[in-house]
mmCIF file of all heavy atoms in Angstrom:
data_model
loop_
_atom_site.group_PDB
_atom_site.id
_atom_site.type_symbol
_atom_site.label_atom_id
_atom_site.label_comp_id
_atom_site.label_asym_id
_atom_site.label_seq_id
_atom_site.Cartn_x
_atom_site.Cartn_y
_atom_site.Cartn_z
ATOM 1 N N GLY A 18 47.301 -19.416 -57.939
ATOM 2 C CA GLY A 18 48.336 -19.666 -56.946
ATOM 3 C C GLY A 18 48.362 -18.528 -55.941
ATOM 4 O O GLY A 18 47.655 -17.526 -56.104
ATOM 5 N N ASN A 19 49.143 -18.676 -54.899
ATOM 6 C CA ASN A 19 49.204 -17.679 -53.839
ATOM 7 C C ASN A 19 50.524 -16.914 -53.929
ATOM 8 O O ASN A 19 51.575 -17.454 -53.591
ATOM 9 C CB ASN A 19 49.089 -18.373 -52.475
ATOM 10 C CG ASN A 19 48.977 -17.388 -51.320
ATOM 11 O OD1 ASN A 19 49.259 -16.205 -51.477
ATOM 12 N ND2 ASN A 19 48.570 -17.890 -50.167
ATOM 13 N N GLY A 21 51.744 -14.857 -52.086
ATOM 14 C CA GLY A 21 52.374 -14.716 -50.779
ATOM 15 C C GLY A 21 53.205 -15.924 -50.397
ATOM 16 O O GLY A 21 53.790 -15.963 -49.310
ATOM 17 N N ARG A 22 53.210 -16.937 -51.250
ATOM 18 C CA ARG A 22 53.986 -18.151 -50.957
ATOM 19 C C ARG A 22 55.063 -18.352 -52.028
ATOM 20 O O ARG A 22 55.139 -19.347 -52.705
ATOM 21 C CB ARG A 22 53.049 -19.368 -50.897
ATOM 22 C CG ARG A 22 52.005 -19.316 -49.803
ATOM 23 C CD ARG A 22 52.597 -19.378 -48.407
ATOM 24 N NE ARG A 22 53.342 -20.602 -48.170
ATOM 25 C CZ ARG A 22 52.791 -21.726 -47.718
ATOM 26 N NH1 ARG A 22 51.504 -21.768 -47.472
ATOM 27 N NH2 ARG A 22 53.515 -22.798 -47.509
ATOM 28 N N ASP A 25 54.859 -20.000 -55.581
ATOM 29 C CA ASP A 25 53.458 -20.289 -55.876
ATOM 30 C C ASP A 25 52.793 -19.088 -56.556
ATOM 31 O O ASP A 25 51.695 -19.199 -57.094
ATOM 32 C CB ASP A 25 52.701 -20.661 -54.596
ATOM 33 C CG ASP A 25 51.391 -21.374 -54.883
ATOM 34 O OD1 ASP A 25 51.330 -22.092 -55.895
ATOM 35 O OD2 ASP A 25 50.437 -21.196 -54.110
ATOM 36 N N ASP A 50 42.515 -13.646 -66.124
ATOM 37 C CA ASP A 50 41.891 -13.764 -64.808
ATOM 38 C C ASP A 50 42.944 -14.339 -63.875
ATOM 39 O O ASP A 50 43.959 -14.884 -64.327
ATOM 40 C CB ASP A 50 40.645 -14.662 -64.857
ATOM 41 C CG ASP A 50 39.676 -14.364 -63.709
ATOM 42 O OD1 ASP A 50 40.089 -13.733 -62.727
ATOM 43 O OD2 ASP A 50 38.502 -14.774 -63.811
ATOM 44 N N CYS A 51 42.694 -14.219 -62.585
ATOM 45 C CA CYS A 51 43.701 -14.656 -61.612
ATOM 46 C C CYS A 51 43.021 -14.938 -60.283
ATOM 47 O O CYS A 51 42.110 -14.218 -59.890
ATOM 48 C CB CYS A 51 44.722 -13.523 -61.442
ATOM 49 S SG CYS A 51 46.247 -14.026 -60.662
ATOM 50 N N ASN A 52 43.443 -15.987 -59.591
ATOM 51 C CA ASN A 52 42.877 -16.265 -58.273
ATOM 52 C C ASN A 52 43.827 -17.161 -57.485
ATOM 53 O O ASN A 52 44.785 -17.686 -58.028
ATOM 54 C CB ASN A 52 41.498 -16.924 -58.398
ATOM 55 C CG ASN A 52 40.570 -16.529 -57.252
ATOM 56 O OD1 ASN A 52 41.028 -16.225 -56.148
ATOM 57 N ND2 ASN A 52 39.280 -16.504 -57.521
ATOM 58 N N TYR A 53 43.513 -17.337 -56.183
ATOM 59 C CA TYR A 53 44.340 -18.202 -55.342
ATOM 60 C C TYR A 53 44.302 -19.650 -55.825
ATOM 61 O O TYR A 53 45.298 -20.342 -55.858
ATOM 62 C CB TYR A 53 43.842 -18.183 -53.896
ATOM 63 C CG TYR A 53 44.158 -16.920 -53.143
ATOM 64 C CD1 TYR A 53 43.156 -16.005 -52.849
ATOM 65 C CD2 TYR A 53 45.450 -16.660 -52.714
ATOM 66 C CE1 TYR A 53 43.440 -14.852 -52.132
ATOM 67 C CE2 TYR A 53 45.747 -15.514 -51.992
ATOM 68 C CZ TYR A 53 44.734 -14.610 -51.702
ATOM 69 O OH TYR A 53 45.015 -13.481 -50.999
ATOM 70 N N GLN A 54 43.102 -20.096 -56.138
ATOM 71 C CA GLN A 54 42.946 -21.455 -56.638
ATOM 72 C C GLN A 54 41.701 -21.497 -57.521
ATOM 73 O O GLN A 54 40.901 -20.560 -57.531
ATOM 74 C CB GLN A 54 42.826 -22.479 -55.514
ATOM 75 C CG GLN A 54 41.548 -22.411 -54.710
ATOM 76 C CD GLN A 54 41.582 -21.360 -53.642
ATOM 77 O OE1 GLN A 54 42.540 -21.291 -52.902
ATOM 78 N NE2 GLN A 54 40.540 -20.545 -53.561
ATOM 79 N N ASN A 56 38.023 -22.953 -58.683
ATOM 80 C CA ASN A 56 36.877 -23.560 -58.033
ATOM 81 C C ASN A 56 35.722 -23.680 -59.015
ATOM 82 O O ASN A 56 35.863 -23.324 -60.182
ATOM 83 C CB ASN A 56 36.484 -22.776 -56.778
ATOM 84 C CG ASN A 56 36.103 -23.716 -55.657
ATOM 85 O OD1 ASN A 56 35.267 -24.591 -55.842
ATOM 86 N ND2 ASN A 56 36.736 -23.564 -54.516
ATOM 87 N N GLU A 58 33.031 -22.160 -59.733
ATOM 88 C CA GLU A 58 32.497 -21.027 -60.484
ATOM 89 C C GLU A 58 33.331 -20.733 -61.738
ATOM 90 O O GLU A 58 32.863 -20.047 -62.651
ATOM 91 C CB GLU A 58 32.417 -19.770 -59.614
ATOM 92 C CG GLU A 58 33.744 -19.213 -59.125
ATOM 93 C CD GLU A 58 34.204 -19.852 -57.834
ATOM 94 O OE1 GLU A 58 33.703 -20.944 -57.488
ATOM 95 O OE2 GLU A 58 35.078 -19.254 -57.163
ATOM 96 N N ASP A 73 50.187 -22.067 -63.909
ATOM 97 C CA ASP A 73 50.342 -22.429 -62.505
ATOM 98 C C ASP A 73 51.785 -22.824 -62.218
ATOM 99 O O ASP A 73 52.521 -23.254 -63.111
ATOM 100 C CB ASP A 73 49.420 -23.615 -62.186
ATOM 101 C CG ASP A 73 49.435 -23.983 -60.709
ATOM 102 O OD1 ASP A 73 49.727 -23.104 -59.883
ATOM 103 O OD2 ASP A 73 49.157 -25.151 -60.407
ATOM 104 N N ILE A 95 40.000 -35.332 -59.245
ATOM 105 C CA ILE A 95 39.681 -34.516 -58.082
ATOM 106 C C ILE A 95 40.753 -34.726 -57.033
ATOM 107 O O ILE A 95 41.032 -35.846 -56.646
ATOM 108 C CB ILE A 95 38.321 -34.921 -57.495
ATOM 109 C CG1 ILE A 95 37.236 -34.743 -58.542
ATOM 110 C CG2 ILE A 95 38.013 -34.123 -56.254
ATOM 111 C CD1 ILE A 95 35.940 -35.382 -58.144
ATOM 112 N N PHE A 97 42.143 -34.422 -53.192
ATOM 113 C CA PHE A 97 41.409 -34.571 -51.946
ATOM 114 C C PHE A 97 41.092 -33.224 -51.335
ATOM 115 O O PHE A 97 40.209 -33.101 -50.501
ATOM 116 C CB PHE A 97 42.201 -35.443 -50.968
ATOM 117 C CG PHE A 97 43.446 -34.809 -50.454
ATOM 118 C CD1 PHE A 97 43.440 -34.063 -49.293
ATOM 119 C CD2 PHE A 97 44.638 -34.952 -51.133
ATOM 120 C CE1 PHE A 97 44.595 -33.480 -48.815
ATOM 121 C CE2 PHE A 97 45.797 -34.370 -50.665
ATOM 122 C CZ PHE A 97 45.778 -33.636 -49.509
ATOM 123 N N THR A 98 41.817 -32.198 -51.704
ATOM 124 C CA THR A 98 41.523 -30.851 -51.229
ATOM 125 C C THR A 98 40.394 -30.276 -52.066
ATOM 126 O O THR A 98 40.629 -29.562 -53.013
ATOM 127 C CB THR A 98 42.746 -29.942 -51.347
ATOM 128 O OG1 THR A 98 43.104 -29.886 -52.720
ATOM 129 C CG2 THR A 98 43.899 -30.446 -50.549
ATOM 130 N N MET A 99 39.186 -30.636 -51.720
ATOM 131 C CA MET A 99 38.068 -30.267 -52.576
ATOM 132 C C MET A 99 37.565 -28.858 -52.355
ATOM 133 O O MET A 99 36.521 -28.488 -52.853
ATOM 134 C CB MET A 99 36.935 -31.280 -52.425
ATOM 135 C CG MET A 99 37.251 -32.579 -53.132
ATOM 136 S SD MET A 99 37.337 -32.356 -54.923
ATOM 137 C CE MET A 99 35.606 -32.143 -55.299
ATOM 138 N N HIS A 100 38.314 -28.035 -51.591
ATOM 139 C CA HIS A 100 37.982 -26.620 -51.599
ATOM 140 C C HIS A 100 38.596 -25.955 -52.812
ATOM 141 O O HIS A 100 38.417 -24.771 -53.048
ATOM 142 C CB HIS A 100 38.468 -25.939 -50.323
ATOM 143 C CG HIS A 100 37.629 -26.301 -49.141
ATOM 144 N ND1 HIS A 100 38.134 -26.873 -48.006
ATOM 145 C CD2 HIS A 100 36.307 -26.193 -48.942
ATOM 146 C CE1 HIS A 100 37.158 -27.078 -47.148
ATOM 147 N NE2 HIS A 100 36.032 -26.673 -47.688
ATOM 148 N N VAL A 102 39.719 -27.124 -57.104
ATOM 149 C CA VAL A 102 39.554 -28.192 -58.101
ATOM 150 C C VAL A 102 40.644 -28.071 -59.162
ATOM 151 O O VAL A 102 41.321 -27.050 -59.274
ATOM 152 C CB VAL A 102 38.159 -28.141 -58.762
ATOM 153 C CG1 VAL A 102 37.077 -28.327 -57.723
ATOM 154 C CG2 VAL A 102 37.958 -26.848 -59.523
ATOM 155 N N PHE A 106 38.990 -30.701 -64.066
ATOM 156 C CA PHE A 106 37.673 -30.720 -63.444
ATOM 157 C C PHE A 106 36.850 -29.503 -63.883
ATOM 158 O O PHE A 106 35.648 -29.614 -64.169
ATOM 159 C CB PHE A 106 37.836 -30.739 -61.921
ATOM 160 C CG PHE A 106 36.567 -31.011 -61.168
ATOM 161 C CD1 PHE A 106 36.245 -32.305 -60.779
ATOM 162 C CD2 PHE A 106 35.693 -29.987 -60.835
ATOM 163 C CE1 PHE A 106 35.074 -32.563 -60.074
ATOM 164 C CE2 PHE A 106 34.521 -30.244 -60.139
ATOM 165 C CZ PHE A 106 34.217 -31.535 -59.757
ATOM 166 N N ILE A 114 27.756 -28.619 -67.596
ATOM 167 C CA ILE A 114 26.738 -27.618 -67.261
ATOM 168 C C ILE A 114 26.381 -26.745 -68.456
ATOM 169 O O ILE A 114 25.206 -26.479 -68.714
ATOM 170 C CB ILE A 114 27.214 -26.727 -66.089
ATOM 171 C CG1 ILE A 114 27.278 -27.552 -64.799
ATOM 172 C CG2 ILE A 114 26.284 -25.543 -65.894
ATOM 173 C CD1 ILE A 114 27.739 -26.772 -63.594
ATOM 174 N N PHE A 131 58.417 -22.458 -51.557
ATOM 175 C CA PHE A 131 57.071 -22.001 -51.200
ATOM 176 C C PHE A 131 57.051 -21.326 -49.824
ATOM 177 O O PHE A 131 56.112 -21.452 -49.063
ATOM 178 C CB PHE A 131 56.091 -23.178 -51.233
ATOM 179 C CG PHE A 131 55.956 -23.760 -52.617
ATOM 180 C CD1 PHE A 131 56.792 -24.793 -53.025
ATOM 181 C CD2 PHE A 131 55.028 -23.270 -53.503
ATOM 182 C CE1 PHE A 131 56.687 -25.322 -54.304
ATOM 183 C CE2 PHE A 131 54.913 -23.790 -54.779
ATOM 184 C CZ PHE A 131 55.747 -24.815 -55.184
ATOM 185 N N PHE A 133 56.996 -18.166 -47.025
ATOM 186 C CA PHE A 133 56.039 -17.064 -46.868
ATOM 187 C C PHE A 133 56.658 -15.726 -47.289
ATOM 188 O O PHE A 133 56.829 -14.825 -46.478
ATOM 189 C CB PHE A 133 55.568 -16.971 -45.409
ATOM 190 C CG PHE A 133 54.587 -18.024 -45.018
ATOM 191 C CD1 PHE A 133 54.996 -19.146 -44.325
ATOM 192 C CD2 PHE A 133 53.254 -17.903 -45.342
ATOM 193 C CE1 PHE A 133 54.093 -20.121 -43.965
ATOM 194 C CE2 PHE A 133 52.337 -18.876 -44.981
ATOM 195 C CZ PHE A 133 52.762 -19.991 -44.293
ATOM 196 N N GLU A 135 56.718 -12.741 -50.553
ATOM 197 C CA GLU A 135 56.076 -12.344 -51.795
ATOM 198 C C GLU A 135 57.119 -11.970 -52.834
ATOM 199 O O GLU A 135 57.279 -10.798 -53.196
ATOM 200 C CB GLU A 135 55.096 -11.191 -51.552
ATOM 201 C CG GLU A 135 54.153 -10.986 -52.730
ATOM 202 C CD GLU A 135 52.927 -10.175 -52.365
ATOM 203 O OE1 GLU A 135 52.715 -9.917 -51.179
ATOM 204 O OE2 GLU A 135 52.184 -9.796 -53.282
ATOM 205 N N ARG B 276 38.211 -34.856 -49.647
ATOM 206 C CA ARG B 276 37.295 -33.728 -49.682
ATOM 207 C C ARG B 276 37.304 -32.877 -48.414
ATOM 208 O O ARG B 276 36.278 -32.452 -47.920
ATOM 209 C CB ARG B 276 35.878 -34.195 -50.008
ATOM 210 C CG ARG B 276 35.771 -34.592 -51.473
ATOM 211 C CD ARG B 276 34.356 -34.505 -51.957
ATOM 212 N NE ARG B 276 33.606 -35.710 -51.687
ATOM 213 C CZ ARG B 276 32.297 -35.748 -51.597
ATOM 214 N NH1 ARG B 276 31.593 -34.675 -51.725
ATOM 215 N NH2 ARG B 276 31.684 -36.888 -51.391
ATOM 216 N N VAL B 277 38.447 -32.666 -47.837
ATOM 217 C CA VAL B 277 38.618 -31.602 -46.860
ATOM 218 C C VAL B 277 39.902 -30.885 -47.248
ATOM 219 O O VAL B 277 40.730 -31.434 -47.943
ATOM 220 C CB VAL B 277 38.720 -32.097 -45.397
ATOM 221 C CG1 VAL B 277 37.405 -32.669 -44.941
ATOM 222 C CG2 VAL B 277 39.836 -33.102 -45.239
ATOM 223 N N GLU B 278 40.037 -29.668 -46.799
ATOM 224 C CA GLU B 278 41.197 -28.906 -47.209
ATOM 225 C C GLU B 278 42.425 -29.320 -46.403
ATOM 226 O O GLU B 278 42.341 -29.641 -45.229
ATOM 227 C CB GLU B 278 40.937 -27.417 -47.022
ATOM 228 C CG GLU B 278 42.104 -26.545 -47.396
ATOM 229 C CD GLU B 278 42.617 -26.881 -48.777
ATOM 230 O OE1 GLU B 278 41.835 -27.314 -49.627
ATOM 231 O OE2 GLU B 278 43.823 -26.709 -48.993
ATOM 232 N N GLY B 279 43.577 -29.271 -47.047
ATOM 233 C CA GLY B 279 44.804 -29.682 -46.392
ATOM 234 C C GLY B 279 44.837 -31.189 -46.280
ATOM 235 O O GLY B 279 44.172 -31.897 -47.019
ATOM 236 N N PHE B 303 50.339 -26.009 -40.399
ATOM 237 C CA PHE B 303 51.526 -25.163 -40.345
ATOM 238 C C PHE B 303 51.356 -24.115 -39.261
ATOM 239 O O PHE B 303 50.423 -23.335 -39.289
ATOM 240 C CB PHE B 303 51.746 -24.497 -41.702
ATOM 241 C CG PHE B 303 53.027 -23.745 -41.767
ATOM 242 C CD1 PHE B 303 54.209 -24.412 -41.981
ATOM 243 C CD2 PHE B 303 53.048 -22.374 -41.584
ATOM 244 C CE1 PHE B 303 55.413 -23.719 -42.030
ATOM 245 C CE2 PHE B 303 54.248 -21.673 -41.629
ATOM 246 C CZ PHE B 303 55.422 -22.343 -41.850
ATOM 247 N N PHE B 309 56.325 -15.848 -38.296
ATOM 248 C CA PHE B 309 56.668 -15.142 -39.527
ATOM 249 C C PHE B 309 56.275 -13.661 -39.473
ATOM 250 O O PHE B 309 56.990 -12.799 -39.982
ATOM 251 C CB PHE B 309 55.985 -15.843 -40.711
ATOM 252 C CG PHE B 309 55.872 -14.998 -41.941
ATOM 253 C CD1 PHE B 309 56.973 -14.729 -42.730
ATOM 254 C CD2 PHE B 309 54.647 -14.463 -42.312
ATOM 255 C CE1 PHE B 309 56.858 -13.939 -43.849
ATOM 256 C CE2 PHE B 309 54.530 -13.674 -43.431
ATOM 257 C CZ PHE B 309 55.642 -13.407 -44.204
ATOM 258 N N ARG B 324 48.313 -14.712 -46.808
ATOM 259 C CA ARG B 324 49.255 -15.720 -47.282
ATOM 260 C C ARG B 324 49.020 -17.056 -46.587
ATOM 261 O O ARG B 324 49.492 -18.089 -47.023
ATOM 262 C CB ARG B 324 50.690 -15.275 -46.990
ATOM 263 C CG ARG B 324 51.062 -14.029 -47.738
ATOM 264 C CD ARG B 324 52.474 -13.597 -47.410
ATOM 265 N NE ARG B 324 52.768 -12.319 -48.071
ATOM 266 C CZ ARG B 324 53.931 -11.712 -48.015
ATOM 267 N NH1 ARG B 324 54.913 -12.246 -47.345
ATOM 268 N NH2 ARG B 324 54.113 -10.575 -48.633
ATOM 269 N N GLY B 327 44.536 -19.764 -48.906
ATOM 270 C CA GLY B 327 43.845 -19.321 -50.107
ATOM 271 C C GLY B 327 42.388 -19.731 -50.112
ATOM 272 O O GLY B 327 41.664 -19.478 -51.075
ATOM 273 N N LEU B 375 29.442 -23.283 -51.624
ATOM 274 C CA LEU B 375 30.416 -24.284 -52.098
ATOM 275 C C LEU B 375 30.270 -25.571 -51.308
ATOM 276 O O LEU B 375 30.241 -26.666 -51.869
ATOM 277 C CB LEU B 375 31.844 -23.753 -51.952
ATOM 278 C CG LEU B 375 32.928 -24.764 -52.345
ATOM 279 C CD1 LEU B 375 32.923 -25.001 -53.846
ATOM 280 C CD2 LEU B 375 34.305 -24.289 -51.899
ATOM 281 N N HIS B 379 29.007 -28.578 -53.518
ATOM 282 C CA HIS B 379 30.196 -29.298 -53.957
ATOM 283 C C HIS B 379 30.550 -30.445 -53.025
ATOM 284 O O HIS B 379 31.010 -31.499 -53.447
ATOM 285 C CB HIS B 379 31.347 -28.298 -54.035
ATOM 286 C CG HIS B 379 32.518 -28.753 -54.842
ATOM 287 N ND1 HIS B 379 32.530 -29.902 -55.600
ATOM 288 C CD2 HIS B 379 33.739 -28.205 -55.006
ATOM 289 C CE1 HIS B 379 33.701 -30.012 -56.197
ATOM 290 N NE2 HIS B 379 34.450 -29.010 -55.849
ATOM 291 N N ASN B 397 30.325 -36.418 -56.834
ATOM 292 C CA ASN B 397 30.902 -35.070 -56.781
ATOM 293 C C ASN B 397 29.993 -34.143 -57.578
ATOM 294 O O ASN B 397 28.950 -34.557 -58.090
ATOM 295 C CB ASN B 397 32.328 -35.073 -57.336
ATOM 296 C CG ASN B 397 32.384 -35.615 -58.746
ATOM 297 O OD1 ASN B 397 31.674 -35.135 -59.626
ATOM 298 N ND2 ASN B 397 33.210 -36.627 -58.972
ATOM 299 N N THR B 410 24.181 -25.793 -61.756
ATOM 300 C CA THR B 410 24.337 -24.437 -62.293
ATOM 301 C C THR B 410 24.122 -23.402 -61.194
ATOM 302 O O THR B 410 24.855 -22.416 -61.088
ATOM 303 C CB THR B 410 23.327 -24.201 -63.438
ATOM 304 O OG1 THR B 410 23.507 -25.225 -64.415
ATOM 305 C CG2 THR B 410 23.542 -22.844 -64.079
ATOM 306 N N ARG B 416 28.360 -19.320 -56.080
ATOM 307 C CA ARG B 416 29.777 -19.091 -55.792
ATOM 308 C C ARG B 416 30.258 -17.834 -56.512
ATOM 309 O O ARG B 416 30.951 -16.990 -55.947
ATOM 310 C CB ARG B 416 30.606 -20.281 -56.285
ATOM 311 C CG ARG B 416 30.731 -21.403 -55.294
ATOM 312 C CD ARG B 416 31.743 -21.113 -54.235
ATOM 313 N NE ARG B 416 33.078 -20.864 -54.769
ATOM 314 C CZ ARG B 416 34.147 -20.687 -54.019
ATOM 315 N NH1 ARG B 416 34.053 -20.731 -52.714
ATOM 316 N NH2 ARG B 416 35.320 -20.454 -54.563
ATOM 317 N N GLN B 420 31.815 -14.387 -54.933
ATOM 318 C CA GLN B 420 33.164 -13.935 -55.296
ATOM 319 C C GLN B 420 33.135 -12.510 -55.819
ATOM 320 O O GLN B 420 34.071 -11.736 -55.606
ATOM 321 C CB GLN B 420 33.757 -14.870 -56.362
ATOM 322 C CG GLN B 420 34.062 -16.267 -55.865
ATOM 323 C CD GLN B 420 35.325 -16.318 -55.009
ATOM 324 O OE1 GLN B 420 35.561 -15.472 -54.176
ATOM 325 N NE2 GLN B 420 36.134 -17.341 -55.216
ATOM 326 N N LYS B 430 40.702 -10.021 -56.178
ATOM 327 C CA LYS B 430 40.527 -11.399 -55.730
ATOM 328 C C LYS B 430 41.703 -11.873 -54.873
ATOM 329 O O LYS B 430 41.533 -12.612 -53.921
ATOM 330 C CB LYS B 430 40.397 -12.326 -56.940
ATOM 331 C CG LYS B 430 39.069 -12.250 -57.675
ATOM 332 C CD LYS B 430 39.085 -13.249 -58.811
ATOM 333 C CE LYS B 430 37.811 -13.194 -59.625
ATOM 334 N NZ LYS B 430 37.896 -14.097 -60.797
ATOM 335 N N HIS B 432 44.968 -11.126 -52.454
ATOM 336 C CA HIS B 432 45.551 -10.153 -51.534
ATOM 337 C C HIS B 432 44.733 -8.858 -51.501
ATOM 338 O O HIS B 432 45.251 -7.766 -51.738
ATOM 339 C CB HIS B 432 47.008 -9.866 -51.908
ATOM 340 C CG HIS B 432 47.916 -11.010 -51.577
ATOM 341 N ND1 HIS B 432 49.270 -10.939 -51.689
ATOM 342 C CD2 HIS B 432 47.655 -12.242 -51.142
ATOM 343 C CE1 HIS B 432 49.807 -12.098 -51.340
ATOM 344 N NE2 HIS B 432 48.844 -12.900 -51.010
ATOM 345 N N ARG B 650 33.667 -21.554 -41.146
ATOM 346 C CA ARG B 650 33.823 -22.804 -40.392
ATOM 347 C C ARG B 650 33.747 -22.612 -38.891
ATOM 348 O O ARG B 650 33.805 -23.591 -38.148
ATOM 349 C CB ARG B 650 35.157 -23.451 -40.769
ATOM 350 C CG ARG B 650 35.186 -23.893 -42.192
ATOM 351 C CD ARG B 650 36.575 -24.098 -42.748
ATOM 352 N NE ARG B 650 36.454 -24.342 -44.173
ATOM 353 C CZ ARG B 650 36.365 -23.388 -45.099
ATOM 354 N NH1 ARG B 650 36.412 -22.121 -44.741
ATOM 355 N NH2 ARG B 650 36.228 -23.684 -46.357
ATOM 356 N N ASP B 715 33.380 -29.051 -42.306
ATOM 357 C CA ASP B 715 33.987 -28.311 -43.407
ATOM 358 C C ASP B 715 35.395 -27.854 -43.038
ATOM 359 O O ASP B 715 35.742 -26.682 -43.168
ATOM 360 C CB ASP B 715 33.121 -27.088 -43.762
ATOM 361 C CG ASP B 715 33.518 -26.460 -45.100
ATOM 362 O OD1 ASP B 715 34.215 -27.128 -45.882
ATOM 363 O OD2 ASP B 715 33.135 -25.310 -45.347
ATOM 364 N N THR B 722 48.842 -23.922 -49.483
ATOM 365 C CA THR B 722 48.226 -23.570 -50.751
ATOM 366 C C THR B 722 48.057 -24.822 -51.587
ATOM 367 O O THR B 722 48.550 -25.881 -51.253
ATOM 368 C CB THR B 722 49.097 -22.575 -51.531
ATOM 369 O OG1 THR B 722 50.336 -23.201 -51.785
ATOM 370 C CG2 THR B 722 49.289 -21.300 -50.743
ATOM 371 N N HIS B 723 47.393 -24.657 -52.732
ATOM 372 C CA HIS B 723 47.106 -25.822 -53.562
ATOM 373 C C HIS B 723 48.383 -26.496 -54.060
ATOM 374 O O HIS B 723 48.394 -27.667 -54.377
ATOM 375 C CB HIS B 723 46.278 -25.395 -54.779
ATOM 376 C CG HIS B 723 47.058 -24.594 -55.748
ATOM 377 N ND1 HIS B 723 47.313 -23.278 -55.532
ATOM 378 C CD2 HIS B 723 47.692 -24.945 -56.875
ATOM 379 C CE1 HIS B 723 48.058 -22.829 -56.524
ATOM 380 N NE2 HIS B 723 48.297 -23.826 -57.351
ATOM 381 N N ALA B 724 49.464 -25.750 -54.149
ATOM 382 C CA ALA B 724 50.694 -26.340 -54.676
ATOM 383 C C ALA B 724 51.400 -27.189 -53.637
ATOM 384 O O ALA B 724 52.326 -27.905 -53.949
ATOM 385 C CB ALA B 724 51.636 -25.241 -55.161
ATOM 386 N N LEU B 725 50.952 -27.071 -52.416
ATOM 387 C CA LEU B 725 51.562 -27.834 -51.349
ATOM 388 C C LEU B 725 50.544 -28.829 -50.829
ATOM 389 O O LEU B 725 49.357 -28.694 -51.012
ATOM 390 C CB LEU B 725 51.967 -26.915 -50.194
ATOM 391 C CG LEU B 725 52.841 -25.735 -50.562
ATOM 392 C CD1 LEU B 725 53.013 -24.838 -49.355
ATOM 393 C CD2 LEU B 725 54.187 -26.219 -51.063
ATOM 394 N N GLY B 726 51.021 -29.818 -50.152
ATOM 395 C CA GLY B 726 50.134 -30.694 -49.405
ATOM 396 C C GLY B 726 49.392 -31.723 -50.226
ATOM 397 O O GLY B 726 48.507 -32.390 -49.728
ATOM 398 N N MET B 728 48.560 -35.143 -51.568
ATOM 399 C CA MET B 728 48.900 -36.425 -50.975
ATOM 400 C C MET B 728 47.900 -37.477 -51.445
ATOM 401 O O MET B 728 46.715 -37.229 -51.456
ATOM 402 C CB MET B 728 48.838 -36.300 -49.453
ATOM 403 C CG MET B 728 49.412 -37.481 -48.704
ATOM 404 S SD MET B 728 49.174 -37.290 -46.937
ATOM 405 C CE MET B 728 50.395 -36.044 -46.592
#
Side-chain angles (χ1 to χ4, degrees):
Chain A
N19 187 345
R22 297 294 299 272
D25 198 32
D50 203 343
C51 196
N52 213 332
Y53 286 107
Q54 69 278 312
N56 220 308
E58 65 273 18
D73 185 26
I95 301 168
F97 69 91
T98 60
M99 285 294 287
H100 286 123
V102 299
F106 191 94
I114 292 180
F131 297 90
F133 284 99
E135 195 162 351
Chain B
R276 287 203 274 157
V277 292
E278 179 51 30
F303 187 80
F309 161 74
R324 296 179 185 183
L375 177 70
H379 197 8
N397 56 54
T410 305
R416 273 282 301 185
Q420 292 284 43
K430 286 182 182 175
H432 288 187
R650 294 160 188 84
D715 193 17
T722 61
H723 70 282
L725 306 173
M728 191 184 286

